[in-house]
Amino acid sequence: MEELKLISITNLLDKEFVIPPYQRGYRWNERQVLDLLEDILEFQEKHKGIGEFYCLQPIVVRKYGENGNKFEVIDGQQRLTTIYIILKYLEEVRKIILSDIALYRIRYETREKEGKSSKHFLENINNIAEKDKSNIDFYYISSAYFTIKNWFETKKVNKADFLNTLLKRKLTEENGKEIDVANNVRFIWYEIKNDKENPIDIFTRINMGKIPLTNAELIKALFFLNEDSAKKEKLQWEIGYEWDNIEYALHNETFWYFLNRKKDDKMARIEFIFDLIADKYKSKLENFSVNKSIDKYYTFYIFNELIKRGIKSKKMLWDEIKTYFRIFEEWYENNEYYHLIGYLVHTQKGVIMDILNKAENLTKSDFKGHLIEKIRKGFRFDNLMEMHYGTNNIELKKVLLLFNVITAMKSNYSKFPFEKYIGGKWSLEHIHAQNSEELRTPKQRKLLLNDQKEFFSREGDKKLVKKIEGLLEEKNIPEDRFSELQDEIFSRYSDEINIHTIDNLALLAKDNNSALNNNIFPAKRDRII
Protein backbone atom coordinates (compact mmCIF):
# COMPACT_ATOMS: atom_id res chain seq x y z
CA MET A 1 0.00 0.00 0.00
CA GLU A 2 1.17 3.53 -0.72
CA GLU A 3 0.39 6.95 0.72
CA LEU A 4 0.33 9.79 -1.77
CA LYS A 5 -0.07 13.45 -0.80
CA LEU A 6 1.28 16.96 -1.19
CA ILE A 7 3.51 18.06 1.67
CA SER A 8 5.02 21.47 2.39
CA ILE A 9 8.69 21.78 3.36
CA THR A 10 7.56 22.90 6.82
CA ASN A 11 6.00 19.45 7.31
CA LEU A 12 9.39 17.84 6.65
CA LEU A 13 11.28 19.75 9.33
CA ASP A 14 10.59 17.30 12.17
CA LYS A 15 11.74 14.29 10.15
CA GLU A 16 15.00 12.41 9.71
CA PHE A 17 15.90 10.98 6.30
CA VAL A 18 18.27 8.07 5.76
CA ILE A 19 20.07 7.68 2.43
CA PRO A 20 20.78 3.95 2.04
CA PRO A 21 24.10 2.56 0.78
CA TYR A 22 22.75 1.36 -2.60
CA GLN A 23 22.43 5.00 -3.73
CA ARG A 24 25.30 7.15 -4.89
CA GLY A 25 25.90 10.38 -3.00
CA TYR A 26 24.80 13.91 -3.82
CA ARG A 27 25.64 14.72 -7.47
CA TRP A 28 23.72 17.80 -8.62
CA ASN A 29 25.78 20.14 -10.79
CA GLU A 30 25.73 23.96 -10.92
CA ARG A 31 23.12 24.11 -13.70
CA GLN A 32 20.65 21.91 -11.81
CA VAL A 33 21.02 23.96 -8.62
CA LEU A 34 20.61 27.26 -10.50
CA ASP A 35 17.53 25.97 -12.36
CA LEU A 36 15.86 25.16 -9.04
CA LEU A 37 16.72 28.57 -7.54
CA GLU A 38 15.48 30.42 -10.63
CA ASP A 39 12.23 28.45 -10.75
CA ILE A 40 11.45 29.17 -7.10
CA LEU A 41 12.30 32.87 -7.57
CA GLU A 42 10.08 33.06 -10.66
CA PHE A 43 7.22 31.55 -8.66
CA GLN A 44 7.92 33.94 -5.75
CA GLU A 45 7.71 37.03 -7.98
CA LYS A 46 4.64 36.11 -10.03
CA HIS A 47 1.09 37.16 -9.22
CA LYS A 48 -0.43 34.17 -7.41
CA GLY A 49 -3.89 33.02 -6.48
CA ILE A 50 -4.77 31.73 -3.01
CA GLY A 51 -3.14 28.37 -2.40
CA GLU A 52 -1.04 28.42 -5.56
CA PHE A 53 2.27 26.70 -4.96
CA TYR A 54 5.49 25.54 -6.61
CA CYS A 55 5.93 21.80 -6.51
CA LEU A 56 9.16 19.84 -6.49
CA GLN A 57 9.52 16.40 -8.02
CA PRO A 58 8.28 13.47 -5.90
CA ILE A 59 10.23 11.99 -3.05
CA VAL A 60 9.64 8.27 -2.56
CA VAL A 61 10.12 7.11 1.04
CA ARG A 62 9.47 4.24 3.43
CA LYS A 63 9.34 4.21 7.23
CA TYR A 64 12.75 3.39 8.74
CA GLY A 65 12.80 1.50 12.03
CA GLU A 66 10.41 2.09 14.89
CA ASN A 67 10.73 5.89 14.93
CA GLY A 68 7.63 7.35 13.29
CA ASN A 69 9.54 10.36 11.94
CA LYS A 70 12.45 8.51 10.36
CA PHE A 71 12.27 7.59 6.66
CA GLU A 72 14.43 5.77 4.16
CA VAL A 73 14.69 7.82 0.95
CA ILE A 74 14.21 5.54 -2.05
CA ASP A 75 14.11 8.35 -4.61
CA GLY A 76 14.50 12.14 -4.31
CA GLN A 77 17.83 12.40 -2.47
CA GLN A 78 19.18 15.12 -4.80
CA ARG A 79 16.18 17.45 -4.39
CA LEU A 80 15.94 16.88 -0.65
CA THR A 81 19.64 17.60 -0.14
CA THR A 82 19.58 20.74 -2.32
CA ILE A 83 16.68 22.22 -0.36
CA TYR A 84 18.55 21.40 2.85
CA ILE A 85 21.68 23.23 1.62
CA ILE A 86 19.57 26.27 0.64
CA LEU A 87 17.99 26.33 4.11
CA LYS A 88 21.44 26.04 5.71
CA TYR A 89 22.65 29.03 3.68
CA LEU A 90 19.59 30.97 4.90
CA GLU A 91 20.18 29.87 8.50
CA GLU A 92 20.89 33.33 9.96
CA VAL A 93 17.66 34.73 8.53
CA ARG A 94 15.76 31.61 9.59
CA LYS A 95 16.93 31.96 13.20
CA ILE A 96 15.67 35.54 13.28
CA ILE A 97 12.31 35.01 11.55
CA LEU A 98 11.57 31.41 12.55
CA SER A 99 13.63 30.90 15.67
CA ASP A 100 11.58 27.94 16.89
CA ILE A 101 12.04 25.88 13.72
CA ALA A 102 14.86 23.36 13.28
CA LEU A 103 15.81 21.63 10.02
CA TYR A 104 15.09 18.08 8.97
CA ARG A 105 18.08 15.76 9.21
CA ILE A 106 19.78 13.75 6.47
CA ARG A 107 21.98 10.78 7.33
CA TYR A 108 24.02 8.81 4.79
CA GLU A 109 24.52 5.23 5.90
CA THR A 110 27.96 4.70 4.32
CA ARG A 111 29.41 8.17 3.73
CA GLU A 112 32.34 8.17 6.14
CA LYS A 113 35.77 9.67 5.51
CA GLU A 114 38.34 9.67 8.32
CA GLY A 115 35.56 9.85 10.88
CA LYS A 116 33.88 12.76 9.14
CA SER A 117 30.41 11.88 7.86
CA SER A 118 28.39 13.53 5.10
CA LYS A 119 25.73 14.25 7.72
CA HIS A 120 28.28 16.18 9.81
CA PHE A 121 29.60 17.96 6.70
CA LEU A 122 26.10 19.04 5.68
CA GLU A 123 25.21 20.30 9.14
CA ASN A 124 28.36 22.45 9.21
CA ILE A 125 28.37 23.55 5.58
CA ASN A 126 28.19 27.25 6.57
CA ASN A 127 31.68 27.00 8.10
CA ILE A 128 33.59 26.05 4.95
CA ALA A 129 35.70 28.67 3.17
CA GLU A 130 36.18 26.88 -0.16
CA LYS A 131 35.13 23.79 -2.09
CA ASP A 132 36.14 20.62 -0.27
CA LYS A 133 37.87 18.13 -2.58
CA SER A 134 38.67 15.52 0.05
CA ASN A 135 36.02 13.20 -1.41
CA ILE A 136 33.49 13.34 -4.21
CA ASP A 137 30.45 13.73 -1.93
CA PHE A 138 31.94 16.70 -0.09
CA TYR A 139 32.97 18.25 -3.41
CA TYR A 140 29.44 18.24 -4.85
CA ILE A 141 27.84 19.37 -1.59
CA SER A 142 30.30 22.26 -1.18
CA SER A 143 29.99 23.19 -4.88
CA ALA A 144 26.20 23.42 -4.49
CA TYR A 145 26.63 25.60 -1.39
CA PHE A 146 28.87 28.11 -3.18
CA THR A 147 26.59 28.12 -6.23
CA ILE A 148 23.70 29.06 -3.91
CA LYS A 149 25.80 31.68 -2.08
CA ASN A 150 27.00 33.31 -5.33
CA TRP A 151 23.49 33.31 -6.78
CA PHE A 152 22.00 35.16 -3.81
CA GLU A 153 24.85 37.66 -3.71
CA THR A 154 24.95 38.31 -7.46
CA LYS A 155 21.20 38.66 -7.93
CA LYS A 156 20.72 40.43 -4.60
CA VAL A 157 17.73 38.24 -3.80
CA ASN A 158 15.88 39.13 -0.59
CA LYS A 159 16.70 36.21 1.72
CA ALA A 160 13.70 36.70 4.00
CA ASP A 161 11.25 36.64 1.07
CA PHE A 162 12.89 33.56 -0.41
CA LEU A 163 12.83 31.75 2.94
CA ASN A 164 9.18 32.69 3.35
CA THR A 165 8.39 31.13 -0.04
CA LEU A 166 10.11 27.92 1.05
CA LEU A 167 8.55 27.61 4.50
CA LYS A 168 5.30 29.57 4.46
CA ARG A 169 2.44 27.75 6.21
CA LYS A 170 -1.21 28.77 6.21
CA LEU A 171 -4.17 26.52 6.94
CA THR A 172 -7.89 26.93 6.49
CA GLU A 173 -10.80 24.67 7.38
CA GLU A 174 -13.17 23.33 4.74
CA ASN A 175 -15.68 20.54 5.33
CA GLY A 176 -13.91 19.70 8.56
CA LYS A 177 -10.55 19.25 6.81
CA GLU A 178 -7.39 21.34 6.99
CA ILE A 179 -6.37 22.79 3.63
CA ASP A 180 -3.00 24.41 2.97
CA VAL A 181 -3.66 27.72 1.20
CA ALA A 182 -0.14 29.13 1.41
CA ASN A 183 1.87 30.22 -1.64
CA ASN A 184 4.76 27.95 -0.79
CA VAL A 185 7.01 25.15 -2.07
CA ARG A 186 5.82 21.56 -1.73
CA PHE A 187 6.89 18.02 -2.45
CA ILE A 188 4.78 15.15 -3.73
CA TRP A 189 5.14 12.68 -0.85
CA TYR A 190 4.99 9.09 -2.08
CA GLU A 191 5.24 6.76 0.91
CA ILE A 192 5.52 3.02 0.32
CA LYS A 193 4.06 0.96 3.16
CA ASN A 194 4.75 -2.52 1.82
CA ASP A 195 7.49 -3.89 4.09
CA LYS A 196 7.87 -7.05 2.04
CA GLU A 197 9.21 -5.44 -1.13
CA ASN A 198 12.95 -4.89 -1.41
CA PRO A 199 13.68 -1.10 -1.50
CA ILE A 200 16.60 -1.74 -3.89
CA ASP A 201 14.15 -3.25 -6.39
CA ILE A 202 11.86 -0.22 -6.02
CA PHE A 203 14.78 2.18 -6.46
CA THR A 204 15.99 0.31 -9.56
CA ARG A 205 12.58 0.33 -11.20
CA ILE A 206 12.07 4.06 -10.59
CA ASN A 207 15.49 5.04 -11.87
CA MET A 208 15.30 2.77 -14.92
CA GLY A 209 12.10 4.57 -15.87
CA LYS A 210 9.88 1.50 -15.58
CA ILE A 211 7.52 3.17 -13.09
CA PRO A 212 8.02 6.88 -13.81
CA LEU A 213 6.01 9.07 -11.49
CA THR A 214 4.05 10.85 -14.19
CA ASN A 215 0.62 12.43 -13.71
CA ALA A 216 -0.86 9.19 -15.04
CA GLU A 217 0.94 6.96 -12.53
CA LEU A 218 0.14 9.27 -9.62
CA ILE A 219 -3.53 9.45 -10.60
CA LYS A 220 -3.68 5.66 -10.95
CA ALA A 221 -2.32 5.41 -7.39
CA LEU A 222 -5.03 7.84 -6.20
CA PHE A 223 -7.76 5.47 -7.39
CA PHE A 224 -6.39 2.65 -5.24
CA LEU A 225 -5.43 4.51 -2.05
CA ASN A 226 -7.22 3.92 1.25
CA GLU A 227 -9.29 1.02 -0.04
CA ASP A 228 -9.69 -2.33 1.71
CA SER A 229 -7.89 -5.19 0.00
CA ALA A 230 -10.99 -6.80 -1.57
CA LYS A 231 -12.31 -3.53 -3.00
CA LYS A 232 -8.82 -2.48 -4.09
CA GLU A 233 -8.30 -5.73 -6.01
CA LYS A 234 -11.63 -5.31 -7.83
CA LEU A 235 -10.82 -1.69 -8.66
CA GLN A 236 -7.38 -2.61 -9.95
CA TRP A 237 -8.82 -5.24 -12.24
CA GLU A 238 -11.62 -3.02 -13.62
CA ILE A 239 -9.63 0.19 -14.01
CA GLY A 240 -6.51 -1.64 -15.18
CA TYR A 241 -8.41 -3.42 -17.97
CA GLU A 242 -10.25 -0.29 -19.13
CA TRP A 243 -7.13 1.87 -18.76
CA ASP A 244 -5.15 -0.46 -21.04
CA ASN A 245 -7.90 -0.43 -23.69
CA ILE A 246 -8.03 3.37 -23.71
CA GLU A 247 -4.24 3.64 -23.86
CA TYR A 248 -4.08 1.10 -26.72
CA ALA A 249 -6.71 3.01 -28.74
CA LEU A 250 -4.95 6.36 -28.22
CA HIS A 251 -1.74 4.86 -29.65
CA ASN A 252 -3.46 4.58 -33.02
CA GLU A 253 -1.65 7.53 -34.65
CA THR A 254 -4.63 8.47 -36.85
CA PHE A 255 -6.91 8.59 -33.81
CA TRP A 256 -4.39 10.47 -31.65
CA TYR A 257 -3.49 13.21 -34.15
CA PHE A 258 -7.12 13.80 -35.06
CA LEU A 259 -7.39 15.06 -31.44
CA ASN A 260 -3.90 16.56 -30.97
CA ARG A 261 -2.00 19.17 -32.97
CA LYS A 262 1.45 18.67 -31.44
CA LYS A 263 3.99 15.86 -31.48
CA ASP A 264 3.27 13.48 -28.61
CA ASP A 265 5.64 13.70 -25.63
CA LYS A 266 3.44 11.92 -23.07
CA MET A 267 4.54 8.56 -21.68
CA ALA A 268 0.85 7.72 -21.11
CA ARG A 269 -1.54 9.20 -23.67
CA ILE A 270 -4.51 8.82 -21.32
CA GLU A 271 -3.10 11.94 -19.63
CA PHE A 272 -4.67 13.90 -22.51
CA ILE A 273 -8.12 13.03 -21.10
CA PHE A 274 -6.97 13.66 -17.53
CA ASP A 275 -5.76 17.15 -18.54
CA LEU A 276 -9.15 18.03 -20.07
CA ILE A 277 -10.99 16.98 -16.91
CA ALA A 278 -8.52 18.87 -14.70
CA ASP A 279 -9.07 22.06 -16.75
CA LYS A 280 -12.84 21.59 -16.46
CA TYR A 281 -12.83 21.41 -12.65
CA LYS A 282 -10.01 23.80 -11.76
CA SER A 283 -12.37 26.79 -11.48
CA LYS A 284 -14.63 24.83 -9.12
CA LEU A 285 -11.88 24.49 -6.48
CA GLU A 286 -12.09 27.52 -4.22
CA ASN A 287 -8.99 28.53 -2.25
CA PHE A 288 -6.89 26.29 -4.44
CA SER A 289 -4.67 27.41 -7.27
CA VAL A 290 -1.89 25.80 -9.30
CA ASN A 291 -0.10 27.17 -12.33
CA LYS A 292 -0.33 24.84 -15.32
CA SER A 293 2.70 26.39 -17.02
CA ILE A 294 4.97 25.85 -13.98
CA ASP A 295 3.56 22.84 -12.14
CA LYS A 296 4.43 19.56 -13.83
CA TYR A 297 1.89 17.73 -11.67
CA TYR A 298 -0.95 20.22 -12.21
CA THR A 299 -3.39 17.49 -13.31
CA PHE A 300 -2.59 15.24 -10.38
CA TYR A 301 -3.12 18.14 -7.93
CA ILE A 302 -6.61 18.79 -9.34
CA PHE A 303 -7.63 15.12 -9.17
CA ASN A 304 -6.20 14.80 -5.67
CA GLU A 305 -8.10 17.87 -4.45
CA LEU A 306 -11.39 16.79 -6.07
CA ILE A 307 -11.24 13.43 -4.26
CA LYS A 308 -9.95 14.90 -0.98
CA ARG A 309 -12.76 17.46 -0.79
CA GLY A 310 -15.41 14.94 -1.78
CA ILE A 311 -16.41 16.94 -4.87
CA LYS A 312 -15.91 13.85 -7.01
CA SER A 313 -15.71 10.22 -5.94
CA LYS A 314 -13.15 7.98 -7.58
CA LYS A 315 -15.90 6.13 -9.44
CA MET A 316 -17.42 9.38 -10.72
CA LEU A 317 -14.04 10.55 -12.01
CA TRP A 318 -13.28 7.26 -13.71
CA ASP A 319 -16.75 7.17 -15.30
CA GLU A 320 -16.17 10.67 -16.65
CA ILE A 321 -12.82 9.61 -18.13
CA LYS A 322 -14.56 6.72 -19.91
CA THR A 323 -17.34 9.03 -21.14
CA TYR A 324 -14.81 11.40 -22.73
CA PHE A 325 -13.11 8.48 -24.43
CA ARG A 326 -16.40 7.11 -25.82
CA ILE A 327 -17.26 10.54 -27.23
CA PHE A 328 -13.85 10.74 -28.94
CA GLU A 329 -14.41 7.27 -30.42
CA GLU A 330 -17.82 8.34 -31.78
CA TRP A 331 -16.28 11.43 -33.39
CA TYR A 332 -13.48 9.35 -34.89
CA GLU A 333 -15.90 6.85 -36.44
CA ASN A 334 -18.15 9.59 -37.90
CA ASN A 335 -16.68 10.73 -41.23
CA GLU A 336 -17.91 14.35 -40.99
CA TYR A 337 -17.07 14.82 -37.30
CA TYR A 338 -13.60 13.35 -37.81
CA HIS A 339 -12.71 15.82 -40.56
CA LEU A 340 -14.42 18.94 -39.19
CA ILE A 341 -13.17 18.47 -35.61
CA GLY A 342 -9.71 17.38 -36.78
CA TYR A 343 -9.43 20.54 -38.87
CA LEU A 344 -10.48 22.74 -35.93
CA VAL A 345 -7.97 21.04 -33.62
CA HIS A 346 -5.15 21.74 -36.08
CA THR A 347 -6.03 25.37 -36.76
CA GLN A 348 -7.47 26.72 -33.50
CA LYS A 349 -5.87 26.33 -30.06
CA GLY A 350 -7.73 24.76 -27.15
CA VAL A 351 -10.97 23.95 -28.98
CA ILE A 352 -11.62 20.44 -27.66
CA MET A 353 -13.26 21.56 -24.41
CA ASP A 354 -15.60 23.94 -26.25
CA ILE A 355 -16.52 21.22 -28.72
CA LEU A 356 -17.20 18.77 -25.87
CA ASN A 357 -19.50 21.28 -24.17
CA LYS A 358 -21.44 21.88 -27.38
CA ALA A 359 -21.73 18.14 -28.08
CA GLU A 360 -23.50 17.71 -24.72
CA ASN A 361 -26.07 20.46 -25.36
CA LEU A 362 -26.83 20.34 -29.12
CA THR A 363 -28.67 17.96 -31.44
CA LYS A 364 -26.53 16.17 -34.03
CA SER A 365 -27.57 18.49 -36.86
CA ASP A 366 -27.05 21.59 -34.73
CA PHE A 367 -23.69 20.22 -33.56
CA LYS A 368 -22.50 19.82 -37.16
CA GLY A 369 -23.71 23.36 -37.89
CA HIS A 370 -21.76 24.64 -34.88
CA LEU A 371 -18.56 23.01 -36.19
CA ILE A 372 -18.99 24.53 -39.65
CA GLU A 373 -19.72 27.97 -38.20
CA LYS A 374 -16.66 27.71 -35.93
CA ILE A 375 -14.52 26.94 -38.99
CA ARG A 376 -16.02 29.87 -40.90
CA LYS A 377 -15.32 32.28 -38.04
CA GLY A 378 -11.69 31.18 -38.06
CA PHE A 379 -11.02 33.05 -41.31
CA ARG A 380 -10.25 36.75 -41.60
CA PHE A 381 -10.99 36.97 -45.34
CA ASP A 382 -14.34 36.71 -47.11
CA ASN A 383 -12.73 36.96 -50.55
CA LEU A 384 -10.02 34.31 -50.94
CA MET A 385 -8.45 36.17 -53.87
CA GLU A 386 -7.50 39.01 -51.51
CA MET A 387 -4.88 36.76 -49.90
CA HIS A 388 -1.33 36.81 -51.27
CA TYR A 389 1.70 34.60 -50.81
CA GLY A 390 4.27 36.22 -48.55
CA THR A 391 1.71 38.44 -46.83
CA ASN A 392 -1.03 36.03 -45.76
CA ASN A 393 0.76 32.69 -45.58
CA ILE A 394 -0.88 31.55 -42.33
CA GLU A 395 -4.38 32.17 -43.71
CA LEU A 396 -3.49 30.56 -47.04
CA LYS A 397 -2.26 27.41 -45.28
CA LYS A 398 -5.51 27.23 -43.30
CA VAL A 399 -7.63 27.51 -46.46
CA LEU A 400 -5.62 24.95 -48.40
CA LEU A 401 -5.60 22.56 -45.45
CA LEU A 402 -9.40 22.88 -45.32
CA PHE A 403 -9.53 22.16 -49.08
CA ASN A 404 -7.50 18.97 -48.55
CA VAL A 405 -9.55 17.91 -45.50
CA ILE A 406 -12.92 18.49 -47.19
CA THR A 407 -11.71 16.66 -50.32
CA ALA A 408 -10.87 13.63 -48.15
CA MET A 409 -14.18 13.95 -46.28
CA LYS A 410 -16.25 14.01 -49.47
CA SER A 411 -14.42 10.99 -50.86
CA ASN A 412 -16.12 8.84 -48.18
CA TYR A 413 -13.43 6.16 -48.49
CA SER A 414 -10.40 7.61 -46.70
CA LYS A 415 -9.58 9.78 -43.72
CA PHE A 416 -7.35 12.82 -44.06
CA PRO A 417 -4.07 11.78 -42.37
CA PHE A 418 -3.58 14.43 -39.68
CA GLU A 419 -0.64 12.38 -38.36
CA LYS A 420 1.17 12.99 -41.66
CA TYR A 421 0.24 16.66 -41.60
CA ILE A 422 1.94 16.92 -38.18
CA GLY A 423 4.97 14.88 -39.21
CA GLY A 424 5.50 16.32 -42.68
CA LYS A 425 5.93 20.03 -41.83
CA TRP A 426 3.73 21.08 -44.74
CA SER A 427 4.32 24.38 -46.49
CA LEU A 428 3.02 26.47 -49.40
CA GLU A 429 4.23 25.64 -52.91
CA HIS A 430 3.63 27.55 -56.14
CA ILE A 431 2.03 25.42 -58.84
CA HIS A 432 3.55 27.51 -61.64
CA ALA A 433 7.00 28.42 -60.32
CA GLN A 434 7.73 32.00 -59.28
CA ASN A 435 10.95 32.17 -61.29
CA SER A 436 14.37 30.56 -61.45
CA GLU A 437 16.33 33.54 -60.17
CA GLU A 438 16.97 31.96 -56.79
CA LEU A 439 18.94 29.15 -58.47
CA ARG A 440 22.25 30.99 -58.24
CA THR A 441 24.86 28.22 -58.11
CA PRO A 442 25.90 25.90 -60.99
CA LYS A 443 24.97 22.92 -58.82
CA GLN A 444 21.40 24.20 -58.26
CA ARG A 445 20.96 24.94 -61.97
CA LYS A 446 22.29 21.53 -63.01
CA LEU A 447 19.85 19.79 -60.66
CA LEU A 448 16.93 21.63 -62.27
CA LEU A 449 18.22 21.06 -65.80
CA ASN A 450 18.66 17.32 -65.21
CA ASP A 451 15.12 17.15 -63.87
CA GLN A 452 13.82 19.01 -66.94
CA LYS A 453 15.88 16.85 -69.30
CA GLU A 454 14.27 13.72 -67.83
CA PHE A 455 10.79 15.24 -68.22
CA PHE A 456 11.26 16.43 -71.81
CA SER A 457 12.82 13.11 -72.80
CA ARG A 458 9.60 11.40 -71.71
CA GLU A 459 7.63 14.06 -73.62
CA GLY A 460 9.70 13.42 -76.75
CA ASP A 461 10.76 17.08 -77.08
CA LYS A 462 14.17 16.49 -78.68
CA LYS A 463 14.79 20.18 -79.38
CA LEU A 464 14.59 21.19 -75.72
CA VAL A 465 16.54 18.11 -74.62
CA LYS A 466 19.38 19.12 -76.98
CA LYS A 467 19.44 22.68 -75.60
CA ILE A 468 19.51 21.40 -72.01
CA GLU A 469 22.35 18.96 -72.81
CA GLY A 470 24.33 21.81 -74.35
CA LEU A 471 24.06 23.84 -71.14
CA LEU A 472 24.90 20.85 -68.95
CA GLU A 473 28.20 20.44 -70.83
CA GLU A 474 29.26 23.88 -69.61
CA LYS A 475 31.50 23.82 -66.52
CA ASN A 476 29.89 26.98 -65.13
CA ILE A 477 26.44 27.45 -66.59
CA PRO A 478 26.13 31.05 -67.85
CA GLU A 479 23.37 32.91 -66.07
CA ASP A 480 22.07 34.63 -69.21
CA ARG A 481 21.79 31.42 -71.23
CA PHE A 482 20.19 29.58 -68.30
CA SER A 483 17.58 32.36 -67.83
CA GLU A 484 16.89 32.48 -71.56
CA LEU A 485 16.21 28.75 -71.66
CA GLN A 486 13.97 28.88 -68.58
CA ASP A 487 11.95 31.73 -70.14
CA GLU A 488 11.42 29.57 -73.23
CA ILE A 489 10.34 26.57 -71.15
CA PHE A 490 7.97 28.55 -68.93
CA SER A 491 6.42 30.44 -71.83
CA ARG A 492 5.54 27.08 -73.37
CA TYR A 493 4.22 25.34 -70.24
CA SER A 494 2.89 28.10 -67.96
CA ASP A 495 -0.25 30.23 -68.06
CA GLU A 496 -0.34 33.98 -67.55
CA ILE A 497 -1.61 34.18 -63.97
CA ASN A 498 -0.94 36.04 -60.76
CA ILE A 499 1.62 33.66 -59.32
CA HIS A 500 1.06 34.75 -55.68
CA THR A 501 -2.72 34.21 -55.36
CA ILE A 502 -4.44 31.12 -54.00
CA ASP A 503 -5.29 29.67 -57.44
CA ASN A 504 -1.55 29.14 -57.99
CA LEU A 505 -0.75 27.59 -54.60
CA ALA A 506 -0.76 24.10 -53.11
CA LEU A 507 -0.06 22.80 -49.61
CA LEU A 508 2.59 20.08 -49.63
CA ALA A 509 4.78 18.22 -47.17
CA LYS A 510 8.20 19.85 -46.81
CA ASP A 511 10.10 16.96 -48.41
CA ASN A 512 7.88 17.02 -51.49
CA ASN A 513 8.06 20.80 -51.65
CA SER A 514 11.86 20.83 -51.53
CA ALA A 515 12.15 18.13 -54.17
CA LEU A 516 9.95 20.02 -56.64
CA ASN A 517 12.19 23.09 -56.77
CA ASN A 518 11.17 25.76 -59.30
CA ASN A 519 10.09 23.39 -61.99
CA ILE A 520 7.23 23.71 -64.45
CA PHE A 521 3.82 22.45 -63.43
CA PRO A 522 3.69 19.24 -65.53
CA ALA A 523 7.06 18.14 -64.11
CA LYS A 524 5.86 18.87 -60.57
CA ARG A 525 2.66 16.96 -61.18
CA ASP A 526 4.59 13.93 -62.45
CA ARG A 527 6.91 14.05 -59.44
CA ILE A 528 3.99 14.21 -56.99
CA ILE A 529 2.18 11.33 -58.70
Side-chain angles (χ1 to χ4, degrees), residues 207-446:
N207 285 278
M208 287 179 67
K210 293 181 180 177
I211 54 166
L213 292 174
T214 61
N215 276 291
E217 290 295 332
L218 292 167
I219 288 169
K220 182 181 277 190
L222 272 181
F223 285 118
F224 304 141
L225 289 176
N226 304 319
E227 303 290 353
D228 61 65
S229 57
K231 188 174 181 182
K232 183 175 179 179
E233 186 176 345
K234 186 172 184 290
L235 266 174
Q236 284 177 324
W237 189 88
E238 289 178 356
I239 292 178
Y241 176 76
E242 292 165 344
W243 183 301
D244 288 345
N245 285 341
I246 293 171
E247 191 66 34
Y248 179 78
L250 291 174
H251 272 83
N252 174 345
E253 299 291 82
T254 306
F255 186 23
W256 177 254
Y257 286 110
F258 138 67
L259 294 166
N260 289 273
R261 62 187 287 168
K262 292 183 179 179
K263 281 281 190 178
D264 172 45
D265 60 355
K266 293 182 181 296
M267 297 188 71
R269 288 185 171 180
I270 197 172
E271 281 190 29
F272 164 65
I273 300 177
F274 296 164
D275 291 346
L276 291 172
I277 292 173
D279 288 342
K280 176 181 177 181
Y281 287 110
K282 180 175 180 283
S283 62
K284 301 185 186 326
L285 292 171
E286 295 181 2
N287 297 324
F288 183 80
S289 177
V290 289
N291 187 322
K292 192 173 185 178
S293 63
I294 291 178
D295 299 314
K296 179 181 177 182
Y297 295 106
Y298 162 89
T299 299
F300 160 71
Y301 305 147
I302 301 295
F303 273 65
N304 185 52
E305 204 67 15
L306 287 170
I307 292 171
K308 188 170 73 173
R309 295 192 188 188
I311 296 172
K312 285 281 180 178
S313 69
K314 296 171 187 178
K315 185 179 185 311
M316 289 168 66
L317 273 174
W318 184 247
D319 286 346
E320 192 159 356
I321 290 162
K322 291 191 293 183
T323 298
Y324 275 37
F325 175 68
R326 283 196 294 269
I327 291 171
F328 295 150
E329 278 192 314
E330 289 172 10
W331 291 351
Y332 179 73
E333 295 299 333
N334 182 295
N335 181 53
E336 290 184 324
Y337 290 169
Y338 170 85
H339 288 95
L340 296 176
I341 292 171
Y343 174 78
L344 282 167
V345 166
H346 286 267
T347 55
Q348 298 181 26
K349 291 182 180 179
V351 296
I352 285 287
M353 206 67 231
D354 172 73
I355 297 172
L356 278 166
N357 291 335
K358 293 297 181 184
E360 290 178 3
N361 301 310
L362 296 175
T363 64
K364 288 188 176 181
S365 60
D366 287 343
F367 179 57
K368 178 185 171 184
H370 169 74
L371 296 176
I372 292 171
E373 180 64 11
K374 197 167 184 65
I375 290 171
R376 189 189 69 77
K377 287 182 176 178
F379 293 108
R380 293 190 298 110
F381 291 87
D382 292 326
N383 184 350
L384 298 183
M385 296 306 293
E386 292 177 0
M387 296 188 289
H388 283 78
Y389 179 84
T391 306
N392 310 116
N393 286 10
I394 293 175
E395 291 293 313
L396 285 165
K397 285 182 72 174
K398 285 168 62 177
V399 173
L400 291 170
L401 174 61
L402 181 61
F403 174 81
N404 290 347
V405 169
I406 297 301
T407 300
M409 183 178 84
K410 289 188 176 295
S411 73
N412 283 319
Y413 60 80
S414 65
K415 292 180 182 292
F416 179 82
F418 290 105
E419 73 276 13
K420 291 186 177 178
Y421 179 67
I422 286 289
K425 297 180 180 178
W426 290 28
S427 58
L428 295 172
E429 164 69 8
H430 288 80
I431 296 172
H432 297 290
Q434 298 180 65
N435 53 57
S436 57
E437 292 176 1
E438 66 190 60
L439 305 178
R440 301 186 184 282
T441 68
K443 183 179 179 181
Q444 290 174 321
R445 290 170 183 164
K446 283 186 177 182

Side-chain angles (χ1 to χ4, degrees), residues 13 16 33 59 86 140 146 153 200 323 337 362 455 496 509:
L13 298 179
E16 180 176 351
V33 175
I59 50 173
I86 294 171
Y140 276 99
F146 285 110
E153 291 174 354
I200 300 176
T323 298
Y337 290 169
L362 296 175
F455 173 76
E496 289 294 328

